[in-house]
Amino acid sequence: MKSYLNYIISGLILFFAPIQGLLIAVAFGIALDTFTGIFKSVKLNGWCSIRSRKLSNVVSKMLLYQVCIALLFVIDFYALNEFVIHSFGIKFMFTKLVSILLIFIELVSIKENIEEALNIKVWDLLKTLFNRAKEIKTDINEITK
């Protein structure tokens, strides 16, 4: 009986192996969002603002996102994959799109946490950085001429 359970678990791990990178990337996004959320909370309200009830939402979010990706992978694998490969040439396209969407949602939340905690505007900072890079590039081009 125990060996059958090992075979089933091994089979499931091997079945979901093609999306392990997507699962890890989404989990990393959630972890980074949680870290920046804790940083913001401590920065604005102190350590007393950390509550286990709020942190328990991380577990449900992680489980929900991972199950969503896994179930979409199953649908992709059995129903959509042949059509998508024939039309677009991309394996598991819908699984990848949803993973990118979930990571984007986490990145927006990370940006909001950083802006509130440090009282800066990330987009303005990036614009300034790109404008400065353009200036440096033109300076280098003028020097090399």
Side-chain angles (χ1 to χ4, degrees):
M1 180 66 176
K2 192 173 184 180
S3 65
Y4 290 119
L5 186 60
N6 288 339
Y7 290 141
I8 291 171
I9 292 172
S10 298
L12 286 174
I13 290 172
L14 290 174
F15 179 73
F16 289 110
I19 60 166
Q20 73 178 355
L22 298 174
L23 295 172
I24 291 170
V26 170
F28 182 73
I30 293 170
L32 195 59
D33 178 40
T34 303
F35 175 74
T36 58
I38 291 171
F39 175 73
K40 177 188 82 168
S41 182
V42 169
K43 182 89 171 168
L44 297 178
N45 302 322
W47 284 101
C48 61
S49 64
I50 304 295
R51 300 277 183 245
S52 64
R53 176 175 231 152
K54 291 180 183 177
L55 286 175
S56 68
N57 292 338
V58 174
V59 175
S60 60
K61 183 196 298 190
M62 182 78 74
L63 185 66
L64 180 68
Y65 282 12
Q66 301 294 342
V67 168
C68 174
I69 293 170
L71 289 177
L72 190 58
F73 173 72
V74 171
I75 293 169
D76 234 355
F77 186 82
Y78 286 112
L80 301 173
N81 203 29
E82 292 300 321
F83 169 73
V84 171
I85 288 175
H86 182 69
S87 299
F88 301 104
I90 301 171
K91 285 185 177 182
F92 314 120
M93 185 175 90
F94 292 107
T95 305
K96 292 175 182 176
L97 286 174
V98 168
S99 298
I100 290 170
L101 177 68
L102 294 174
I103 291 170
F104 179 74
I105 290 169
E106 294 303 312
L107 287 174
V108 169
S109 179
I110 290 167
K111 179 190 94 54
E112 291 171 354
N113 288 336
I114 290 172
E115 286 181 347
E116 288 181 37
L118 300 176
N119 199 19
I120 60 171
K121 299 292 182 199
V122 173
W123 294 123
D124 293 339
L125 197 68
L126 286 174
K127 285 180 190 177
T128 305
L129 180 71
F130 284 128
N131 288 336
R132 183 67 185 136
K134 286 179 186 177
E135 291 173 9
I136 292 172
K137 182 181 176 186
T138 56
D139 290 345
I140 291 172
N141 288 339
E142 288 177 7
I143 291 172
T144 57
K145 286 184 182 181

